[in-house]
Amino acid sequence: ARVALVDARGEHGYGRVLSASAAVAARLRAAGVGKGERVALLVTPGLEYTAALLGTWRAGAVAVPLSPAHPPPELAHVLGDSGAVAALAGEGRARTLERPAGTAGARVLPVDLEGPAGEEAAPPAAADAALVLYTSGTTSRPKGVVLTHAHLEAQVGSLVEAWAWSPDDRLLHALPLHHTHGIVNGLLCALRAGATCDHLARFDASEAWAAFAARPVTLFMGVPTMYVRLIRAWEEAPPETRAAWTAAAAGQRVMISGSAALPVTVFERWREIAGHALLERYGMTEIGMALSNPLDGERRPGTVGVPLPAVRARLVDESGDPVAEGAPGGIEIAGPAVFTEYLNRPEETTRAFRDGWFRTGDEAVVERGYWRILGRSSVDILKTGGYKVSALEIEDALLAHPEVAECAVVGAPDPEWGERVCAAVVAAPGAALEPDALRAWAKERLAPYKAPARVLLVRALPRNAMGKVTKPTVRGWFEAPATGASETKEEE
């Protein structure tokens, strides 16, 4: 039988996935969970998660995946905001859910993979809600995005076509399963194609390299932070290990990066190490994936390619008028993959659309046919001295410095300039980086209004579960009056 999943328990065929999900569905129906009611999931990646997700759908309910990394107050917020009537607790998770579920009035149910299937419910309709996914909350309070089965069908179908998924594929899956990247791009695409989804319990760079070498992996998807850590692990490994790891990576069909901007320096270094031009794409919870570099064809560093099948994309100015070729504008997306509502937030839903187009809040420019993301309008587009500046462009420039490991550029309020360009920088291991020297170096490579006015040395950047830097936190570091351009902050 074809292997559907690999996890810590072993290999599981597609028949096993169906029987386990039928058992979960029967358990939910026996507990009185009705059609359209919401069920939260706090389960282990692999058979347990997949059976819980598919079982929820087979019971006619709506799945609300939870993050195992979230503390009880955040779990309680999602449970309460979603109106979940039940929470499926995977092995060892029941105690974690007890207090948040009690606060929200949700019943905690164990995931039973061995129970009887019972009577099969009618399959859900295309227009029925399937998932409520909570936004990452990098710029505001997380809110629930309602995705129907039709939305998921469009999202998965688009990616299976664009990335040429087949039953011969084996995905090494190390992404969180409460975001669209891990759920749709990874798990659901693999299942749709009849491929194998090989789950790591958690992402560890050395373990991922070892899995590349030991298993017949054909696809890997990661966020830029994961590739940075893979590069670091490779550079710290002995020569014979490096050679084996490089050969294992080079044998894969495609390696994909997303969920945050991929620095050009990381793109180039990965190509040197692994022989792959990473396929960068662009999407978000509300729309699935919208833009992608081609599977076959040129993958340009610093770009996210072109619109995917069935996706309509445009760039507009603040009035909603299309911008001229080569000019920056706000990204708006339309098509069958785009969500229709934020859960219980009709006003926010209305504000999110313009004439049927979803307003992503991101800005981009099209250069020689390829889209380049400039960043979030709210945190990545800085307005300084009358200029609009992309924080991502400045970050790419700073990452070219050999002693800079990571950085985040934000705008801090300034009475004279509107915003001052500020950079939080993590130095490379063993580097003796000086803020003043970095500022001088940047001034030689960037226009004067783009060079950081303040540089803060930090030990780590704050990130959410998907590896995105939480820039409101970074901006808060600079809201205190400057003590001078040369600063150091000991941030854990």
Side-chain angles (χ1 to χ4, degrees), residues 8 11 77 86 97 113 123 133 143 148 221 246 260 330 339 369 428 435 447 477 491:
E11 295 185 346
H77 165 70
L97 279 171
L113 304 179
L133 296 181
K143 47 187 177 282
T148 66
M221 300 179 186
T246 291
F339 85 125
W477 296 345
E491 275 296 328

Side-chain angles (χ1 to χ4, degrees), residues 111 186 335:
V111 177

